[in-house]
Amino acid sequence: MPIAANEGVINTLVSLKVAETVEQAALIVKFNELNEAMVAADCGYASGPFSRHAERRSETKAAVRRAVSDSIKYNMTSGTNGRRTIRDDIKKRLKESVVTGIVDAKGRRWKPEVYADMVTRTKMMQTYREATTNEAVDRGVLYAQISSHGAKDACRGHEGEIIKLTLEAPWRF
């Protein structure tokens, strides 16, 4: 999580022209209070976007949450914060605790190793996005433009749009 947040802040510093290059931004990057709290909270408890859709049985949900949370806590406190290492540890913990697999709200069954990969990628991306937004808002930026990158999914209809980063930003700018 700290690496994803760090990369989000670095890219924000370059985008806002606080630094000219990624290398320069990496030398001056520092978490603001909000990002520091977010990373600390994420390292204490993390769950994937589909955890709320996991099988309704409380023991399965508890096993998934425990595996993800324990893995991230263990790896962060031991100084390991690589996505692959954390993903592999989550896979191992899920295999130990979830025998039947994970079933989402649509009835799809997830293999623990597939779920572990998905939850790790999603959590890292969420952390990156939050850190980027927090840094921009902390520097007085109220709006952002959604990138235009030739999306093929539902995002294609939003490319180029300007969005508010905070509820307090006026609608007209």
Side-chain angles (χ1 to χ4, degrees):
M1 305 305 161
I3 291 174
N6 201 46
E7 288 177 5
V9 173
I10 287 171
N11 285 331
T12 302
L13 294 174
V14 172
S15 295
L16 296 177
K17 305 213 184 314
V18 173
E20 289 183 30
T21 65
V22 170
E23 293 77 20
Q24 286 177 342
L27 295 174
I28 62 171
V29 69
K30 184 177 181 331
F31 286 166
N32 59 28
E33 285 182 40
L34 196 51
N35 281 337
E36 207 169 286
M38 176 191 63
V39 169
D42 281 346
C43 291
Y45 173 77
S47 63
F50 297 114
S51 63
R52 67 184 176 277
H53 301 299
E55 192 171 9
R56 299 287 182 232
R57 295 190 337 232
S58 61
E59 64 271 9
T60 301
K61 284 174 30 175
V64 170
R65 286 188 173 141
R66 189 170 42 257
V68 172
S69 179
D70 289 351
S71 176
I72 290 176
K73 276 192 261 186
Y74 171 78
N75 283 289
M76 291 297 151
T77 57
S78 67
T80 305
N81 54 19
R83 183 178 71 83
R84 287 186 182 108
T85 305
I86 294 170
R87 179 199 62 209
D88 292 345
D89 189 51
I90 292 171
K91 282 184 198 178
K92 185 182 112 207
R93 290 172 189 266
L94 282 173
K95 282 182 180 178
E96 292 170 359
S97 62
V98 181
V99 179
T100 61
I102 302 160
V103 179
D104 67 16
K106 292 185 177 181
R108 296 174 296 204
R109 188 168 296 279
W110 292 74
K111 292 179 184 174
E113 57 272 12
V114 174
Y115 184 85
D117 188 49
M118 178 275 308
V119 80
T120 304
R121 280 183 288 123
T122 302
K123 195 61 184 168
M124 294 296 186
M125 190 62 217
Q126 286 172 339
T127 301
Y128 175 90
R129 209 170 25 248
E130 281 294 314
T132 300
T133 301
N134 293 342
E135 184 68 22
V137 170
D138 196 46
R139 292 180 176 276
V141 176
L142 300 176
Y143 306 94
Q145 185 173 22
I146 299 173
S147 66
S148 295
H149 53 278
K152 303 287 185 223
D153 58 8
C155 296
R156 72 181 174 274
H158 299 284
E159 288 185 334
E161 279 185 18
I162 295 177
I163 58 170
K164 293 175 22 170
L165 295 177
T166 68
L167 294 174
E168 294 79 31
W171 278 107
R172 296 188 181 183
F173 48 95

